[in-house]
Amino acid sequence: MKPEEIQALKLVRNELTRFMVTYKFGLDEMNTKLNILKEEFQYIHKYNPIEHLKSRIKSPESILKKMARKNLEVSMDSIKHNIKDIVGIRVVCSFISDIYTISDMIQKQKDIKVIELKDYIENPKPNGYKSLHLILSIPVFLSDREEEVFVEIQIRTIAMDFWASLEHKIYYKYNGEVPDNLTMEITEAATVANELDLKMEKLNKEVNNIKTDNGIDDEDIFYLQVNEEKVHLPTNFLKSFLNEGNK
């Protein structure tokens, strides 16, 4: 390879590095937002709607394959405008209601633009797949400019995630050519997973109603919990803020 060719490739590599790192920063920013919402919800409501988060950035090889499948020109501008799932985050919740709570909290962030929303919970795929998909645009502030980065977020329950993981493994094992009997059983399993979600949602509502009726949370009024530490709040201190609000 000629020296000028090597130099040209180095320049391209540097540009690709800057391109991919920008997406990495977008992923970091979105993960930070989700973790803040997660902790805030825990502190204020004594409940965490997010069981766990999993994130990834597509490899250059995966991006190239997707561009080829879509018959698109391979350039950084083309990739930026046509591939909206270079960055992906999966948010796994306990209950179906949590999915919409998290979605609403994300969409209310002022610096986030919702590009696309697909509700596969209300409208499941034919094979039974359920999840809420959001394509978002998030600003990344670099030393010399601001870039908009697309982030795909999939929000689903533990049952939905378990089913989707197994379905993916089965299709991968059979290279997409799954026998009809297995396809039918996979779809039936999705129905079972949905029934479990609905049952657990019902039980959760009943438990919350019992807690509200019995005033179980009242004892926590006189404590403030931050960073795993429970700090006592004097009654007079609390009442002073109450009186201030009544002025």
Side-chain angles (χ1 to χ4, degrees), residues 103-115:
S103 175
D104 288 343
M105 289 193 296
I106 292 170
Q107 293 184 58
K108 286 176 182 176
Q109 299 272 316
K110 289 185 178 180
D111 58 346
I112 287 177
K113 297 175 188 174
V114 180
I115 305 300

Side-chain angles (χ1 to χ4, degrees), residues 2-246:
K2 295 178 181 180
E4 57 267 25
E5 290 178 326
I6 293 173
Q7 185 61 31
L9 288 174
K10 282 182 179 179
L11 291 173
V12 171
R13 192 275 311 270
N14 290 343
E15 282 301 307
L16 282 170
T17 299
R18 190 177 179 91
F19 181 81
M20 294 301 295
V21 164
T22 302
Y23 279 90
K24 188 261 184 192
F25 295 152
L27 177 61
D28 290 345
E29 190 169 337
M30 196 65 234
N31 272 326
T32 298
K33 286 177 176 293
L34 288 168
N35 281 314
I36 288 173
L37 291 173
K38 176 181 173 181
E39 287 192 39
E40 180 200 16
F41 215 85
Q42 181 68 51
Y43 286 135
I44 303 302
H45 302 284
K46 303 293 188 295
Y47 169 69
N48 180 8
I50 299 175
E51 287 290 331
H52 61 265
L53 302 168
K54 186 175 182 180
S55 56
R56 61 105 182 104
I57 300 178
K58 274 187 183 296
S59 67
E61 185 179 3
S62 294
I63 294 170
L64 187 63
K65 286 180 179 178
K66 189 159 189 177
M67 294 294 285
R69 286 198 306 270
K70 290 175 169 283
N71 197 29
L72 296 168
E73 174 196 358
V74 179
S75 70
M76 278 181 270
D77 279 343
S78 180
I79 292 169
K80 181 178 179 179
H81 290 100
N82 292 293
I83 308 298
K84 295 183 172 64
D85 63 344
I86 292 176
V87 168
I89 302 176
R90 185 180 304 158
V91 183
V92 179
C93 316
S94 296
F95 307 105
I96 295 172
S97 56
D98 291 338
I99 293 173
Y100 294 102
T101 297
I102 293 165
S103 175
D104 288 343
M105 289 193 296
I106 292 170
Q107 293 184 58
K108 286 176 182 176
Q109 299 272 316
K110 289 185 178 180
D111 58 346
I112 287 177
K113 297 175 188 174
V114 180
I115 305 300
E116 189 177 285
L117 189 156
K118 290 184 179 179
D119 191 340
Y120 294 115
I121 299 169
E122 287 293 324
N123 303 289
K125 291 186 177 181
N127 65 350
Y129 174 85
K130 286 191 169 189
S131 186
L132 185 73
H133 289 198
L134 291 167
I135 300 291
L136 309 172
S137 176
I138 183 170
V140 173
F141 299 95
L142 302 171
S143 59
D144 59 349
R145 67 185 189 275
E146 177 185 339
E147 290 279 356
E148 290 288 326
V149 171
F150 292 120
V151 179
E152 182 191 49
I153 298 184
Q154 298 178 358
I155 316 174
R156 58 182 69 157
T157 64
I158 297 170
M160 292 174 194
D161 190 53
F162 178 62
W163 179 90
S165 177
L166 288 179
E167 190 260 0
H168 178 75
K169 288 177 182 176
I170 291 170
Y171 270 77
Y172 182 80
K173 183 176 180 179
Y174 283 93
N175 198 26
E177 300 295 329
V178 182
D180 290 342
N181 64 313
L182 270 182
T183 300
M184 188 179 299
E185 289 191 31
I186 291 169
T187 305
E188 289 175 359
T191 301
V192 173
N194 182 56
E195 289 172 353
L196 176 61
D197 269 335
L198 294 175
K199 180 69 173 176
M200 296 308 292
E201 185 83 39
K202 180 174 179 292
L203 288 172
N204 184 53
K205 286 179 180 178
E206 289 177 1
V207 169
N208 286 335
N209 288 337
I210 291 171
K211 285 175 67 177
T212 301
D213 292 343
N214 292 342
I216 292 174
D217 292 330
D218 290 353
E219 62 188 32
D220 288 335
I221 290 174
F222 301 103
Y223 290 93
L224 180 69
Q225 187 163 350
V226 180
N227 291 333
E228 307 298 328
E229 184 179 354
K230 213 169 188 179
V231 181
H232 180 255
L233 287 171
T235 305
N236 291 341
F237 183 65
L238 276 174
K239 285 184 176 180
S240 65
F241 285 97
L242 183 63
N243 293 334
E244 183 180 283
N246 293 329

